[in-house]
Amino acid sequence: MEGQENYSNTKKDKITAVVPCYNEEEVIDLFYQEICRVAEQMFEQADFEILFVNDGSVDKTLEKMKKLRQQDRRVCYISFSRNFGKEAAMYAGLEHATGNLVAVIDADLQHPPKLLIEMYRSIRSEGYDSAAACRVSRKGEPKLRSFVSRKFYRVLAKLSKIEVVDGEVDYRLMSRQMVDAVLKMSERNRFTKGIFSWVGFHTKWIPYKNVERAAGKTKWSFWKLLKYSLEGIIGFSTVPLALVSGIGVLFCIGAFITIVYIIIKTLLWGDPVGGWPSLACMVLGISGVQLFCMGILGQYLGKIYLEVKNRPIYLASIVEMNHDREEMKEVKPEDSV
Ligand code: UDP
Ligand code: MG
């Protein structure tokens, strides 16, 4: 049976599944059932910890989490004092995870929990540090959204050293070593896909077909995604700043050529007054470019401002864990061959 192979571990692994949840009352039970089925299949190789992160939901998500914990001690949860966003929820989950392998997975079943079996196999028998899912089709996603996100990842790859694989989603299983590396990046402007790529490690890409949400609706609007994309570029690339300098240099060259032209023209034909329309166009054009460049500088300045304030990434009002992290940390990949 799948997932029942012998990986000759000296100690059983512990997999923490970090599940960010924001208003997911409709799917959380379904998700729990599905992941329990996977845990059953992997019973011989690994124990599971299901760590829900309630990201300030305003529906019954927290009540459902509490109920699940009463039924099953493998379920743990952290509840935020308000909505801090999925990136913060993932960070909190990684910080509290006690497993020697940690997975991040969506609650809406768009990330099939079954894939964990293959991910686990990649790490344990093929020697990868991480196994990540990438969707091969974008079925069920609006066309404009797919188009913009494809273009964005291409631009990001060009502007920074960050390689985001086409179709990459926030669904992966990681070794403890990689989780600790991700946690070391405690920036407030969190673009997790970029962070995963930045920390490196040997990652196996596992393709899967996009599935639609089991229930509930997406929390991402087109504008939210666009903002997220810009954050990705600003967080991982300084090319826009170099672009500003480039524009400045171009304008200086243009100004120099224009000055030479005006001097020669004046010497040859005198200096009849006129040409104010062209002057007005130049003033408007150049001030437009200046404001645009200041806007780019402002974006970086804004990010620096938020970073230096050093505010916490999230605030938790409830943390319900089993407190055995230290013990679990001792299980290292070297223990298994
Ligand atoms: N999510 C979250 N905080 C937010 C928005 C989303 O924790 O502010 C969670 C959400 O509950 C889900 C996952 O992030 O488990 C992905 O969200 P969603 O399904 O809305 O995104 P999509 O799949 O449409 O990209
Ligand atoms: Mg989803």
Side-chain angles (χ1 to χ4, degrees):
M1 190 172 151
E2 224 184 3
Q4 299 266 316
E5 293 146 49
N6 181 14
Y7 298 99
S8 55
N9 288 342
T10 47
K11 224 171 171 182
K12 208 170 172 186
D13 281 306
K14 180 172 180 184
I15 298 178
T16 301
V18 170
V19 196
C21 299
Y22 178 50
N23 295 345
E24 300 287 10
E25 61 176 7
E26 290 173 67
V27 285
I28 195 163
D29 288 330
L30 285 173
F31 173 84
Y32 171 73
Q33 285 160 16
E34 196 68 31
I35 200 144
C36 283
R37 222 165 285 150
V38 174
E40 236 167 72
Q41 285 186 46
M42 296 175 73
F43 170 73
E44 284 190 9
Q45 294 90 41
D47 288 326
F48 267 72
E49 172 181 66
I50 305 160
L51 175 49
F52 290 112
V53 184
N54 173 34
D55 186 13
S57 304
V58 288
D59 63 358
K60 299 227 157 45
T61 305
L62 181 60
E63 281 78 19
K64 297 228 160 171
M65 285 177 188
K66 285 181 179 166
K67 211 175 267 168
L68 288 174
R69 176 151 174 95
Q70 275 167 8
Q71 290 167 16
D72 184 349
R73 292 296 287 179
R74 291 176 302 176
V75 173
C76 303
Y77 65 89
I78 301 169
S79 186
F80 285 180
S81 59
R82 64 166 169 87
N83 178 257
F84 280 88
K86 185 184 176 186
E87 306 289 318
M90 286 197 280
Y91 183 81
L94 293 181
E95 214 173 34
H96 287 82
T98 63
N100 64 315
L101 294 172
V102 183
V104 276
I105 180 168
D106 281 2
D108 56 8
L109 293 175
Q110 279 190 305
H111 297 164
K114 277 203 306 280
L115 227 55
L116 281 173
I117 300 171
E118 199 179 332
M119 288 179 171
Y120 178 78
R121 191 184 305 132
S122 309
I123 292 182
R124 277 291 169 255
S125 57
E126 294 170 34
Y128 287 93
D129 301 299
S130 152
C134 67
R135 49 185 173 186
V136 283
S137 79
R138 286 177 174 266
K139 220 178 118 226
E141 199 182 70
K143 288 239 157 48
L144 181 64
R145 190 169 148 176
S146 315
F147 176 79
V148 174
S149 54
R150 264 207 200 104
K151 286 274 170 283
F152 160 66
Y153 289 132
R154 214 158 288 161
V155 171
L156 183 67
K158 287 230 168 78
L159 294 187
S160 63
K161 299 248 152 39
I162 301 303
E163 255 323 312
V164 175
V165 171
D166 187 28
E168 175 176 343
V169 289
D170 293 325
Y171 178 23
R172 63 168 72 213
L173 182 67
M174 291 169 274
S175 65
R176 169 55 54 193
Q177 218 184 358
M178 181 164 175
V179 172
D180 289 342
V182 170
L183 287 174
K184 273 194 194 136
M185 298 180 73
S186 56
E187 58 224 62
R188 265 114 276 269
N189 178 33
R190 300 193 73 75
F191 178 66
T192 310
K193 287 193 181 94
I195 292 176
F196 286 148
S197 163
W198 194 92
V199 296
F201 293 96
H202 205 29
T203 300
K204 172 156 183 194
W205 293 100
I206 300 176
Y208 79 101
K209 280 221 172 75
N210 197 26
V211 272
E212 294 195 23
R213 250 180 179 275
K217 51 181 189 291
T218 178
K219 316 295 177 306
W220 293 90
S221 65
F222 180 76
W223 293 111
K224 247 181 156 179
L225 274 174
L226 197 69
K227 193 168 156 263
Y228 178 71
S229 316
L230 290 178
E231 294 217 335
I233 293 179
I234 293 167
F236 282 91
S237 169
T238 49
V239 172
L241 291 174
L243 193 77
V244 167
S245 321
I247 294 174
V249 170
L250 276 182
F251 268 78
C252 286
I253 295 170
F256 180 73
I257 294 170
T258 316
I259 290 168
V260 172
Y261 167 75
I262 290 171
I263 291 173
I264 294 170
K265 195 172 149 244
T266 312
L267 287 177
L268 289 180
W269 293 290
D271 185 21
V273 180
W276 72 268
S278 53
L279 200 66
C281 290
M282 264 155 56
V283 170
L284 284 176
I286 294 172
S287 40
V289 171
Q290 275 180 342
L291 282 179
F292 171 73
C293 294
M294 270 169 65
I296 293 182
L297 291 179
Q299 287 293 327
Y300 282 89
L301 192 67
K303 296 288 176 233
I304 297 169
Y305 177 59
L306 290 180
E307 290 295 334
V308 294
K309 277 201 202 181
N310 212 14
R311 285 178 179 165
I313 296 171
Y314 66 88
L315 286 174
S317 50
I318 312 173
V319 177
E320 273 288 333
M321 301 289 305
N322 293 334
H323 304 295
D324 55 353
R325 177 167 180 159
E326 285 317 306
E327 178 207 321
M328 284 316 300
K329 267 188 95 170
E330 281 163 22
V331 186
K332 291 209 179 100
E334 297 90 73
D335 292 342
S336 55
V337 182

